[in-house]
Amino acid sequence: MTLTVFLAVLAAAVMHAGWNVLVKLKLDRFLSLFLIQTLMGVMGLAMVAVFPLAAFASLPYALASGVLHLGYNLFLARSYRTGDLSQVYPIARGGAPLLTLCVTWFAAHEQVSPLGALGVLVLTSGIWLVSLAGKKQVRLDGMTLFFALGTSVFIAAYTVVDGLGGRASGSPSSYAGLVFVFDALFLLAYGVISRGPGIIASVAPFWRMGVAGAALSVGAYWIAIWAMSRAPISAVAALRETSILFVMLLSMRVLKEKVTGWRLGGAGLIAAGAILLRLS
């Protein structure tokens, strides 16, 4: 992985972490996702208009990504309805890099160096240690666990699809815009059908925070799609999850949260995994 790609993906991770810590919407989880995804669609239209058009061969990937992101949003919202963030997040995000590695290795036949594979494993171990170590009780009911694991599967699936789609597009930036548009259209349709047209009026007062969240989300995933066109998909997918490390650092600074020795050890593993990915 080149230094440029490495630093870009780390910047994307910081954007993701900043959204999680600094942007607070006073809405339920689904409405927050609905507002952000809708505004991301508007930004995606601007990207499609500005950048060279993506190759037609990438259109099926973008459509598939829209369907997978809809599944991801619905599963994530459902898992947060009955599970705490500290329980659901590590399962959803921590399992995805390993699933991505397996899919790209065996199904997409993408070559990953032994050092790169080791980096993914070390970084993923750090994610789980930061998220779960030292917790006296981490229990989920069966349905919450099902939706949390399902979320992880959707993350891995859309990551692989968008990595391949970005490569096939010839214009990763325009492809990313298409993905944001389709994501927004599918979730908009689902939201209006499931909750009625009034859903738009219910989220409108929060548009300022929605724009901030959408901008950070667009920047973070735009970079990821671009990076996956230049580096192994599994390596980028794992490096993106350093966002957990940045969330911990921001929590220390902004929220004054206490950080245990276990979490510091996990942070060390995340950093070591990131270094291995840079060297791979």
Side-chain angles (χ1 to χ4, degrees), residues 187-198:
L187 191 60
L188 178 63
Y190 178 86
V192 171
I193 291 172
S194 63
R195 300 204 180 187

Side-chain angles (χ1 to χ4, degrees), residues 1 23 31 40 65 97-98 145 191 236 261:
M1 184 181 293
V23 180
L31 290 179
M40 287 175 68
S65 177
L98 290 179
L145 180 60
V236 174

Side-chain angles (χ1 to χ4, degrees), residues 23-34:
V23 180
K24 304 293 185 182
L25 294 178
K26 296 179 181 179
L27 298 167
D28 68 44
R29 186 66 183 183
F30 177 78
L31 290 179
S32 297
L33 293 169
F34 177 85

Side-chain angles (χ1 to χ4, degrees), residues 6-229:
F6 178 79
L7 293 177
V9 178
L10 287 183
V14 172
M15 292 179 193
H16 184 72
W19 151 242
N20 277 274
V21 173
L22 299 178
V23 180
K24 304 293 185 182
L25 294 178
K26 296 179 181 179
L27 298 167
D28 68 44
R29 186 66 183 183
F30 177 78
L31 290 179
S32 297
L33 293 169
F34 177 85
L35 174 59
I36 291 169
Q37 288 290 125
T38 301
L39 292 172
M40 287 175 68
V42 176
M43 296 175 188
L45 284 174
M47 293 169 65
V48 172
V50 169
F51 294 104
L53 290 178
F56 183 77
S58 66
L59 183 59
Y61 291 100
L63 284 168
S65 177
V67 174
L68 291 169
H69 271 89
L70 175 61
Y72 158 76
N73 285 318
L74 297 181
F75 270 61
L76 183 64
R78 171 59 180 80
S79 60
Y80 278 131
R81 191 191 310 162
T82 51
D84 293 336
L85 174 67
S86 61
Q87 297 173 315
V88 171
Y89 193 81
I91 296 174
R93 306 301 310 190
L98 290 179
L99 289 173
T100 303
L101 175 63
C102 292
V103 172
T104 55
W105 205 343
F106 294 107
H109 306 294
E110 183 176 70
Q111 296 299 314
V112 182
S113 69
L115 191 61
L118 178 62
V120 173
L121 293 174
V122 171
L123 194 149
T124 302
S125 299
I127 291 172
W128 284 92
L129 194 58
V130 164
S131 303
L132 298 179
K135 295 185 183 297
K136 295 181 179 180
Q137 187 177 21
V138 181
R139 296 178 181 174
L140 296 174
D141 65 83
M143 289 304 296
T144 302
L145 180 60
F146 170 78
F147 281 101
L149 290 173
T151 301
S152 187
V153 172
F154 277 114
I155 293 171
Y158 73 62
T159 298
V160 174
V161 166
D162 286 333
L164 297 176
R167 293 174 182 179
S169 70
S171 178
S173 295
S174 181
Y175 174 81
L178 276 177
V179 168
F180 299 145
V181 170
F182 286 134
D183 292 354
L185 288 176
F186 290 145
L187 191 60
L188 178 63
Y190 178 86
V192 171
I193 291 172
S194 63
R195 300 204 180 187
I199 189 175
I200 297 175
S202 67
V203 300
F206 303 94
W207 69 268
R208 290 183 179 83
M209 288 186 177
V211 168
L216 288 169
S217 297
V218 162
Y221 202 54
W222 179 4
I223 290 173
I225 291 176
W226 169 83
M228 289 188 291
S229 70

